[in-house]
């Protein structure tokens, strides 16, 4: 089975390749010559991840998967959520996004938050979704240089360091993305065993 990963985010590509290991491989959008901009116009991760995969499937007829991820902060009523990439406005800027979060959270006691990833897989025109979450807390300040996006301000549950202070392997062992991709791998394995 040849699957295309519908993402233009190089950090996600690297994390997903490491998470999947030998489970299954994928082609990137540039490997299939797909360079169109894919809008994410909806206000749920489910709808945005579906629209990304549908756009690639409709234009290329290739089986594919897309993922949409957001950081949901309890004290900010779920912000930045689906607007995580451009929380501080255009162009998308992770440093400005984190500064906006830290400013809004100044003096806030409840720092509970979670990352949520929604994957949409399209096989022969049929869409299936998978979800993964990682709970934790928003730090008072940024620390660490690993990872990407909001990692320098996110402390996973039970930890004393941010995701940006984790090695790639440590983050990939417990992340929202790991849980969602494990569910996708299980599903693909179950299809394989049915067709044997
Ligand atoms: P696509 O091409 O896959 O759509 P994107 O960068 O637009 O890539 P998303 O909309 O899914 O990706 O992600 C929204 C933002 O959430 C992303 O730009 C990061 O700032 C942040 N984010 C996603 N995954 C993250 C992670 O594992 N750790 C920290 N921040 C993350």
């Amino acid at each position: 089975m040849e699957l295309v990963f519908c993402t233009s985010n190089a950090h996600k590509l690297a994390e997903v390749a490491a998470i999947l290991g030998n489970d299954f491989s994928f082609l990137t959008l540039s490997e299939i010559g797909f360079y169109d901009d894919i809008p994410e116009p909806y206000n749920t991760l489910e709808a945005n991840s579906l629209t990304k995969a549908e756009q690639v499937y409709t234009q290329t007829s290739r089986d594919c998967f897309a993922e949409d991820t957001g950081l949901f902060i309890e004290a900010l009523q779920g912000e930045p959520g689906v607007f995580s990439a451009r929380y501080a406005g255009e162009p998308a800027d992770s440093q400005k996004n984190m500064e906006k979060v830290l400013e809004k959270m100044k003096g806030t006691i409840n720092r509970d938050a979670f990352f949520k990833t929604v994957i949409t897989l399209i096989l022969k025109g049929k869409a299936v979704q998978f979800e993964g979450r990682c709970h934790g807390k928003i730090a008072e300040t940024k620390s660490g240089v690993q990872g990407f996006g909001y990692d320098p301000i996110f402390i996973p549950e039970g930890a004393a360091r941010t995701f940006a202070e984790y090695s790639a392997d440590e983050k990939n062992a417990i992340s929202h993305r790991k849980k969602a991709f494990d569910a996708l791998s299980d599903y693909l394995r179950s299809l394989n065993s049915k067709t044997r």
Side-chain angles (χ1 to χ4, degrees), residues 113-174:
F114 62 90
F115 278 114
K116 174 176 162 184
T117 293
V118 175
I119 301 171
T120 300
L121 167 72
I122 300 189
L123 285 182
K124 299 193 179 94
K126 184 172 167 265
V128 194
Q129 294 194 313
F130 308 90
E131 178 187 314
R133 291 182 187 215
C134 182
H135 287 267
K137 293 200 180 298
I138 300 301
E140 302 279 348
T141 53
K142 293 185 239 173
S143 345
V145 294
Q146 308 295 320
F148 69 103
Y150 295 89
D151 283 345
I153 60 166
F154 184 80
I155 303 172
E157 209 160 52
R161 306 173 278 160
T162 68
F163 256 161
E165 296 173 297
Y166 274 48
S167 69
D169 285 351
E170 285 174 321
K171 178 183 175 191
N172 291 337
I174 62 163

Side-chain angles (χ1 to χ4, degrees), residues 38-78:
I38 306 181
E40 299 178 36
Y42 300 110
N43 59 7
T44 64
L45 299 179
E46 286 77 7
N48 283 331
S49 124
L50 177 63
T51 201
K52 285 190 249 189
E54 275 180 344
Q55 185 172 337
V56 173
Y57 186 80
T58 307
Q59 288 181 226
T60 69
S61 301
R62 283 176 182 266
D63 291 336
C64 60
F65 61 91
E67 66 114 290
D68 205 34
T69 296
L71 173 65
F72 295 79
I73 302 175
E74 201 169 283
L76 301 182
Q77 288 73 47

